[in-house]
Amino acid sequence: MGSVGDVKPQVMPFTEPLPLRSGARLSDYTLVYETYGSLNAERSNAVLVCHALNASHHVAGTYAGEARSEGWWDNLVGPGKPLDTNRFFVIGINNPGSCFGSTGPMHVDPATGRIYGADFPVVTVEDWVDAQARLLDRLGITQLAAVLGGSLGGMQALSWSLRHPERLRHCIAVATAPNLSAQNIAFNEVARRAIVTDPEFHGGHYYGYRVVPKRGLRVARMIGHITYLSDDAMEAKFGRGLKAGVPGYSTQDIEFEIESYLRHQGDKFSEYFDANTYLLITRALDYFDPAREFGGDLSAAFATARCKFQLVSFTTDWRFSPERSREIVRALLDNRFDVSYAEIDAPHGHDAFLLDDARYHGVLRARFDNIAREFGA
Amino acid sequence: MSDKKDIELIAELVPPGSRVLDLGCGSGELLAHLRDHRQCSGYGIEIADANVLACTQRGVNVIQLNLEEGLAMFEDRSFDVVLQLDTLQHLRNAERMLLETARVGRVGIVSFPNFAHWPNRLRIATGRMPVTKALPYEWYDTPNIRVGTYADFEVLARKNGLQILDSFGIQDGRVRRRRPNLTASVGVFKFERA
């Protein structure tokens, strides 16, 4: 199993405005994307990998001369890996509103000539899927062998099956949910309030002040990170370990290992992530609810799908719990679709979807092997 | 039920083109057989990781679920046939699962080791628990927590208002219709809700 090696992101500009769910339009935008492997003559081996909250188009491979620049799903995507780039043409697209290159709140609004900031239109999972579909049009890909995503990426994979049912043969949705629960929205809201109430947020127009609401971003990341780990995983990794070995009897200094870890994660995140993007992406999570237009009937919502489905969840994931994946499975069964579901007994919580548990990767490898057989690779 | 001949004998009970649910489907061998030879579609339910992987490799739809939690995910009569082969004897709530089988499927098919097969009777007569091909475990390590007989199943089916459509024993890869309770190590029942 190897790496796809050094890769270069590509840029595609779009002049035709993208109509958004909110009624707004995104005009003159660009999308950044990467591809690995090669498209076969029949154009039948393309797999779109959708990214989650803090990831990007950089799914696999490295950037030349940059240490530790592996893509976020490099353990899954590459030559000989479960999603084998010797057989598949893999595409990663950075969603609009993100802060990794595609048009986002830090860019200039062509309508006003000013930086979007808080005025960047609210984007939804459906909007992202439509933007991705347009990029695939330009690449000449009319039908994907599969769409794969985890967490928020899984929601995009599900949305693909509903919005563009004829354009994918397989939907592979990992550690995802048919919508967010109230508790889940609550976590997002705490994160958003942390950002919005940071004095350096300036109503979302902090770019002009040459500041970044880092304090808010740090807290947002800390709360997010707590929800990505299981209680057991946190206990195993940190327990009640004290940074100095003995109590320092301080209310504000770092005392416990877990505090040190969370602060480190928060610091790192605040260095590279954009606050407005965080607000936009958590909102996209909150809004996703394909059953909403069907009176809450998820089975009815899925009636338009045509592809085959693979769902995966992790037993210790309490942010996107197995129960939520089973709701999706049930809706797919009601529609008599081909669906398989693996519930992986992994200890790591939501983060498990990015790790390389052998049972999890075994199922995905088997699934992609079968998909490859369909087009004779 | 990994015996190839047994699988073929049971597959013959499934009408071609059926929509099938296989509870405790193992590595998906029977489902693949039904798909490839009888144009059936459907799903397997499995709890074991290795079996879920094997089914995925075969391209058989598999849903990882603990049968002890019931079949709430499935609507009434949503399958033509629900199979429960070599599974019932492992379940704590065997009777409830039998009723669930009859609820979800128009037709249910179960198979299980027949404890009244004559070698077992002989062994019991000597004062020891049987250890045979169909019941290969010692009493202290057997996963078969519900050991019953061919005749016992007929009683259970009647008690639960299940109509037996067909039943036979299997011994050495052959159907036994004469005195199956004595001559067969495996019992097979095809039934529906009366």
Side-chain angles (χ1 to χ4, degrees):
Chain A
M1 292 198 289
S3 163
V4 298
D6 286 338
V7 295
K8 274 196 180 128
Q10 299 168 72
V11 179
M12 194 175 281
F14 293 81
T15 47
E16 174 85 2
L18 180 72
L20 306 173
R21 290 270 276 196
S22 65
R25 295 153 88 82
L26 188 61
S27 42
D28 284 325
Y29 61 99
T30 58
L31 296 181
V32 180
Y33 67 103
E34 287 179 10
T35 68
Y36 324 105
S38 44
L39 190 61
N40 63 12
E42 299 78 26
R43 296 172 180 265
S44 60
N45 68 334
V47 174
L48 174 66
V49 179
C50 303
H51 71 77
L53 202 155
N54 64 325
S56 70
H57 51 284
H58 185 41
V59 178
T62 46
Y63 293 143
E66 276 186 48
R68 300 178 64 182
S69 60
E70 288 82 11
W72 58 273
W73 223 344
D74 196 70
N75 62 20
L76 187 85
V77 180
K81 288 179 178 170
L83 178 43
D84 186 351
T85 50
N86 289 330
R87 299 191 282 182
F88 290 99
F89 180 62
V90 180
I91 307 153
I93 303 173
N94 188 213
N95 290 324
S98 174
C99 53
F100 295 111
S102 291
T103 299
M106 66 299 301
H107 295 127
V108 173
D109 178 356
T112 63
R114 289 196 304 269
I115 291 176
Y116 278 111
D119 300 326
F120 192 85
V122 168
V123 278
T124 63
V125 166
E126 290 79 8
D127 299 331
W128 287 336
V129 164
D130 291 352
Q132 293 158 7
R134 282 186 169 191
L135 190 143
L136 296 179
D137 289 342
R138 297 263 291 270
L139 295 178
I141 296 165
T142 49
Q143 192 187 58
L144 292 156
V147 180
L148 164 69
S151 189
L152 175 58
M155 289 175 168
Q156 291 161 61
L158 294 175
S159 183
W160 259 95
S161 76
L162 304 178
R163 290 187 78 75
H164 305 285
E166 310 296 339
R167 295 194 67 173
L168 72 164
R169 297 194 294 278
H170 295 265
C171 170
I172 305 177
V174 181
T176 195
N179 59 28
L180 291 195
S181 64
Q183 186 196 48
N184 233 318
I185 295 171
F187 283 123
N188 284 347
E189 177 58 5
V190 173
R192 282 190 295 265
R193 291 312 294 168
I195 289 169
V196 168
T197 57
D198 184 321
E200 297 196 310
F201 183 66
H202 297 289
H205 295 285
Y206 45 89
Y207 312 100
Y209 296 84
R210 299 189 177 280
V211 291
V212 171
K214 280 192 179 179
R215 277 163 287 188
L217 272 168
R218 283 192 199 107
V219 175
R221 182 58 170 173
M222 285 167 82
I223 184 125
H225 219 90
I226 294 168
T227 68
Y228 304 148
L229 297 176
S230 69
D231 191 13
D232 286 348
M234 224 183 240
E235 189 61 32
K237 203 166 172 182
F238 309 104
R240 293 184 46 81
L242 289 161
K243 193 80 189 151
V246 289
Y249 299 102
S250 156
T251 54
Q252 296 188 27
D253 295 338
I254 289 177
E255 278 285 84
F256 292 90
E257 296 279 2
I258 182 62
E259 298 171 20
S260 166
Y261 173 77
L262 286 178
R263 287 203 203 180
H264 173 70
Q265 291 295 331
D267 288 347
K268 238 174 41 179
F269 190 69
S270 70
E271 293 294 325
Y272 71 83
F273 211 83
D274 179 74
N276 282 315
T277 291
Y278 202 89
L279 304 183
L280 286 164
I281 295 188
T282 54
R283 260 299 181 234
L285 272 161
D286 294 355
Y287 283 130
F288 182 69
D289 187 6
R292 193 170 167 273
E293 291 156 50
F294 297 87
D297 184 345
L298 191 63
S299 302
F302 270 106
T304 53
R306 290 293 171 266
C307 64
K308 299 180 178 187
F309 291 84
Q310 172 77 56
L311 277 287
V312 180
S313 75
F314 302 94
T315 50
T316 54
D317 183 352
W318 56 279
R319 187 97 199 245
F320 290 81
S321 69
E323 286 74 19
R324 304 312 316 275
S325 282
R326 284 190 215 151
E327 283 177 45
I328 300 166
V329 171
R330 187 179 178 151
L332 298 172
L333 288 170
D334 283 345
N335 282 289
R336 307 193 159 203
F337 293 134
D338 278 309
V339 52
S340 282
Y341 169 56
E343 199 169 290
I344 309 290
D345 187 16
H348 316 97
H350 188 55
D351 265 357
F353 93 88
L354 293 169
L355 304 175
D356 63 353
D357 182 284
R359 291 159 298 179
Y360 163 44
H361 274 198
V363 165
L364 289 189
R365 179 183 290 278
R367 186 77 188 193
F368 279 113
D369 282 349
N370 284 328
I371 297 172
R373 240 168 260 140
E374 289 174 2
F375 57 79
Chain B
M1 199 47 58
S2 52
D3 200 314
K4 242 190 161 57
K5 274 201 171 139
D6 289 12
I7 282 181
E8 282 170 25
L9 290 176
I10 289 180
E12 282 171 27
L13 294 175
V14 180
S18 294
R19 186 173 141 83
V20 175
L21 182 65
D22 187 353
L23 307 177
C25 65
S27 64
E29 206 178 345
L30 177 63
L31 278 171
H33 180 91
L34 290 171
R35 174 194 64 196
D36 298 340
H37 300 283
R38 295 182 87 81
Q39 302 81 47
C40 294
S41 61
Y43 313 86
I45 307 286
E46 249 302 325
I47 186 169
D49 293 329
N51 284 334
V52 170
L53 177 60
C55 289
T56 310
Q57 284 166 338
R58 277 183 208 276
V60 161
N61 290 326
V62 60
I63 293 161
Q64 191 161 22
L65 208 61
N66 184 353
L67 285 177
E68 299 282 10
E69 290 170 21
L71 298 177
M73 199 181 258
F74 299 96
E75 300 286 334
D76 290 5
R77 300 174 79 78
S78 51
F79 289 88
D80 298 318
V81 178
V82 177
L83 296 155
Q84 204 170 343
L85 307 182
D86 222 19
T87 300
L88 204 59
Q89 72 271 19
H90 302 310
L91 299 177
R92 189 164 290 280
N93 56 6
E95 185 176 12
R96 205 183 110 221
M97 273 314 297
L98 188 64
L99 285 170
E100 281 284 271
T101 300
R103 175 183 69 80
V104 171
R106 282 170 223 287
V107 168
I109 298 172
V110 302
S111 76
F112 57 89
N114 172 30
F115 202 73
H117 187 212
W118 66 265
N120 300 340
R121 298 190 194 194
L122 275 184
R123 178 82 172 161
I124 292 279
T126 70
R128 298 289 308 280
M129 283 295 277
V131 179
T132 62
K133 193 173 158 230
L135 292 165
Y137 304 97
E138 294 287 351
W139 66 275
Y140 49 81
D141 67 4
T142 179
N144 301 324
I145 58 172
R146 301 280 177 238
V147 261
T149 70
Y150 188 96
D152 285 334
F153 189 87
E154 293 176 319
V155 175
L156 180 64
R158 210 174 307 130
K159 178 187 167 223
N160 284 295
L162 303 178
Q163 171 119 31
I164 293 172
L165 303 171
D166 192 8
S167 66
F168 52 81
I170 297 180
Q171 182 57 38
D172 299 327
R174 301 172 89 106
V175 170
R176 294 285 170 107
R177 287 188 182 273
R178 253 175 63 87
R179 309 189 71 182
N181 197 39
L182 187 66
T183 65
S185 59
V186 174
V188 180
F189 288 82
K190 180 173 177 175
F191 57 88
E192 64 181 12
R193 247 192 322 194

